Amino acid sequence: DEPANENEGISFSFGATDPDVSDALVYAVIDTPVGAAYDSGTRTLSWTPDYDAVTAAEGTKVFPFVFSVTDGHDVVKDTVNVTVTHVDRAPYWDPPAGDQTITETNAVGITVSATDPDADAIAYANISMPASAAWDEPSRSYSWTTDYADAGTHEFIYTATAAAVVIRDTTVVTVLDSAKAPVWDVTPAQSVDE
């Protein structure tokens, strides 16, 4: 038997000997998984199981490769079982949140969303954000209203986790300085003698 992982290629060759050395041996492949290839010149079977070969619930699954050899008188069959192990794929941002540019005193909203190709449940978490920003986990969103002291660049860092596979991303918000209204400098009233 042969072990394999999803999305990883496997190949093996086979051969036989005949006591009657004058008999020509003819090989044939009887059964293989879909997508497997056979090179008759080298008697090599090769196959790359895709990510849908085994479900997470199954964990592993056995795929038989059945082949035969004949000397023109007798047919002998053999089977090689390939045990494929499920490989959990990482989720991906769908779509990426993207950087933003705003002006001081304006509000910004960021919603993050990921997709898992194995349909695993996804948990989201905030890692870092400006002190006055807010993170709402159920809606996977940040909200932040900037003020006159926030000019500069600010990072929102977050993760998505599916079946223990974690991805991380950063959205950069650039806050531009806004023109501020002039402020009167009031001089206190003064009194003078006549």
Side-chain angles (χ1 to χ4, degrees):
D1 289 0
E2 299 284 339
N5 292 322
E6 288 179 327
N7 205 43
E8 291 182 5
I10 183 173
S11 65
F12 55 90
S13 302
F14 56 89
T17 57
D18 188 89
D20 303 313
V21 294
S22 61
D23 292 339
L25 300 180
V26 178
Y27 297 89
V29 173
I30 298 171
D31 188 26
T32 64
V34 174
Y38 174 57
D39 183 338
S40 60
T42 60
R43 299 187 308 276
T44 301
L45 282 161
S46 58
W47 181 48
T48 301
D50 62 26
Y51 281 116
D52 296 322
V54 184
T55 66
E58 291 171 322
T60 61
K61 187 175 180 179
V62 176
F63 294 85
F65 287 72
V66 183
F67 43 90
S68 68
V69 61
T70 181
D71 59 2
H73 309 287
D74 299 300
V75 176
V76 179
K77 294 180 182 179
D78 197 8
T79 300
V80 171
N81 290 315
V82 175
T83 302
V84 179
T85 300
H86 172 72
V87 174
D88 195 62
R89 292 170 284 180
Y92 57 90
W93 299 110
D94 183 30
D99 297 339
Q100 297 188 37
T101 300
I102 60 170
T103 305
E104 285 176 333
T105 73
N106 287 326
V108 63
I110 302 166
T111 300
V112 300
S113 180
T115 296
D116 185 75
D118 299 306
D120 295 325
I122 301 174
Y124 299 87
N126 164 62
I127 302 300
S128 177
M129 63 183 175
S132 57
W135 162 252
D136 181 62
E137 187 172 342
S139 65
R140 311 178 316 278
S141 61
Y142 290 97
S143 58
W144 185 35
T145 300
T146 62
D147 63 29
Y148 285 116
D150 290 324
T153 58
H154 306 268
E155 291 186 340
F156 292 76
I157 304 173
Y158 41 89
T159 61
T161 304
V165 180
V166 181
I167 59 172
R168 180 180 175 128
D169 202 7
T170 300
T171 294
V172 176
V173 174
T174 301
V175 180
L176 303 177
D177 191 32
S178 62
K180 301 172 184 65
V183 177
W184 287 106
D185 290 329
V186 178
T187 304
Q190 298 182 5
S191 61
V192 295
D193 295 330
E194 286 186 332

